Amino acid sequence: MLERAAALLSAPETALRGYVYLGLAAGHKLAGHPTQASALARRAFSIADRLNDEFLRGYCLHERGWLAVEDERHRDAEKDFRAMLEIFLRIRHGAGVGAAHQALGSVAAAQGRRDDASQAFRAAINEYERLGNRNLADEARSSLSALDSSSRNPSGS
């Protein structure tokens, strides 16, 4: 798989190269290397900008938003996730709309904004159900359920 990804990086610039960079960024983020993850996400953004690719740009915003969450920069994350939502609503990409709502719910929950989080998680569930994606709807439902549980038991016991 890595050989195929490396071959894509040497091919003419396409959106696919941007997705390779996003995948590598996610891997570095999960491995605890945020500096490398951010650099790779910036490379993907550059490709999205040069190609004027809104779909790729939306997913670049998604990755950058989660990097901001990891760094506890919730306002930056929320700004990116709102921009992502705007793009995906405009281009009518339902899975991206659902992911943006779910991400906004996570940020709101992390900030203790339970009503906003609940509203965002419910919007994600509705979008995923509209698409017939039961797995993602259930994932968003789990986030909503955890939020509801924590509001009933704020001490966590």
Side-chain angles (χ1 to χ4, degrees):
M1 173 94 71
L2 283 176
E3 292 87 16
R4 288 180 60 195
L8 288 171
L9 293 176
S10 63
E13 186 169 83
T14 64
L16 195 53
R17 183 185 295 186
Y19 292 109
V20 170
Y21 285 135
L22 286 179
L24 291 169
H28 278 283
K29 178 181 66 186
L30 293 172
H33 305 277
T35 302
Q36 294 92 328
S38 293
L40 289 160
R42 281 191 303 274
R43 289 177 83 172
F45 256 111
S46 293
I47 291 170
D49 290 343
R50 280 192 297 278
L51 299 176
N52 195 28
D53 187 316
E54 290 289 279
F55 194 83
L56 176 59
R57 186 174 292 115
Y59 281 107
C60 288
L61 289 161
H62 190 241
E63 184 61 29
R64 189 172 72 186
W66 283 116
L67 286 165
V69 167
E70 292 284 320
D71 202 25
E72 296 186 17
R73 293 180 294 111
H74 295 115
R75 285 189 179 142
D76 292 338
E78 186 169 1
K79 180 180 173 187
D80 282 342
F81 295 146
R82 287 197 184 286
M84 172 192 174
L85 178 60
E86 181 181 307
I87 287 170
F88 288 145
L89 282 168
R90 186 174 58 250
I91 67 173
R92 303 174 58 105
H93 175 51
V97 169
H101 282 302
Q102 193 165 2
L104 286 164
S106 295
V107 169
Q111 294 177 312
R113 296 174 15 236
R114 295 183 191 282
D115 290 343
D116 292 339
S118 178
Q119 182 179 358
F121 288 138
R122 289 178 197 285
I125 292 164
N126 289 340
E127 187 64 24
Y128 292 141
E129 285 179 343
R130 184 187 71 78
L131 296 170
N133 192 325
R134 177 187 247 155
N135 291 334
L136 290 177
D138 286 346
E139 185 180 307
R141 238 182 239 100
S142 292
S143 296
L144 179 61
S145 178
L147 180 70
D148 290 344
S149 293
S150 70
S151 69
R152 285 192 300 272
N153 187 11
S155 67
S157 54

